[in-house]
C-alpha cells in the first residue's frame, strides 16, 4: 500500500512538471535604451503568466539597485499557440506599459509591444533557468 501511495505521488509530481508552460523560468532581458538589463522570473498568475524583475544590471554588467525590483515586467500574458504569447509588458526605461507580443523559440524570446500606436522592439531575451 505504501508503494502504491508513493507511485501515485510520483505520477502526480511528473504530471505537474510536464504541465509547466515553456515561458516559465528566468529570462535575461536585452539591454534597454539606457543599457540596463535584468532577470525576469516568469510564473503562473492564475490562468495567465506574469514575470517579475528579480535582478537588475547596469550597462557594464554589474548588479545594480533598481526601484523596479519585484515589479511585474510581464503581466496578463497568455499563450496563443505556435510559440506566440500576448499580454502586457512594462518598460522600466520609460515607465510605459505596452500591449505585448512575445515569440518563443527554444531558449530565446523575441519581445515587442505597442501603446497608443507607438510600437517598440524589446530585443531578444535569453532563458537562463
Amino acid at each position: 500500500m505504501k508503494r502504491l501511495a508513493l507511485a501515485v505521488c510520483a505520477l502526480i509530481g511528473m504530471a505537474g512538471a510536464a504541465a509547466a508552460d515553456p515561458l516559465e523560468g528566468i529570462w535575461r532581458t536585452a539591454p534597454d535604451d539606457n543599457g540596463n538589463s535584468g532577470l525576469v522570473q516568469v510564473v503562473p498568475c492564475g490562468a495567465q503568466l506574469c514575470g517579475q524583475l528579480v535582478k537588475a544590471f547596469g550597462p557594464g554588467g554589474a548588479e545594480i539597485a533598481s526601484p523596479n525590483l519585484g515589479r511585474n515586467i510581464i503581466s496578463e500574458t497568455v499563450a496563443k499557440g505556435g510559440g506566440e504569447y500576448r499580454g502586457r509588458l512594462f518598460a522600466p526605461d520609460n515607465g510605459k506599459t505596452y500591449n505585448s507580443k512575445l515569440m518563443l523559440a527554444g531558449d530565446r524570446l523575441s519581445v515587442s509591444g505597442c501603446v497608443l500606436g507607438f510600437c517598440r522592439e524589446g530585443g531578444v531575451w535569453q532563458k537562463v533557468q
Side-chain angles (χ1 to χ4, degrees), residues 104-123:
L104 179 64
D107 63 353
R108 298 170 58 82
L109 184 66
S110 297
V111 177
S112 62
C114 297
V115 64
L116 300 173
F118 174 74
C119 296
R120 179 177 184 192
E121 293 296 320

Side-chain angles (χ1 to χ4, degrees), residues 92-128:
D93 61 341
N94 66 14
K96 293 182 180 167
T97 300
Y98 296 82
N99 292 319
S100 65
K101 178 181 178 184
L102 311 175
M103 289 300 301
L104 179 64
D107 63 353
R108 298 170 58 82
L109 184 66
S110 297
V111 177
S112 62
C114 297
V115 64
L116 300 173
F118 174 74
C119 296
R120 179 177 184 192
E121 293 296 320
V124 176
W125 297 9
Q126 183 71 41
K127 192 167 196 174
V128 297

Side-chain angles (χ1 to χ4, degrees), residues 9-74:
C9 288
L11 286 173
I12 290 170
M14 285 189 291
D21 190 283
L23 191 62
E24 289 180 45
I26 299 177
W27 295 86
R28 176 77 183 240
T29 69
D32 64 17
D33 289 347
N34 299 320
N36 298 325
S37 63
L39 295 180
V40 174
Q41 184 173 17
V42 177
V43 298
C45 293
Q48 302 173 337
L49 294 165
C50 299
Q52 188 177 86
L53 183 66
V54 294
K55 283 191 180 184
F57 303 95
E63 191 171 344
I64 59 172
S66 169
N68 294 302
L69 285 174
R71 182 178 187 137
N72 274 344
I73 302 300
I74 295 173

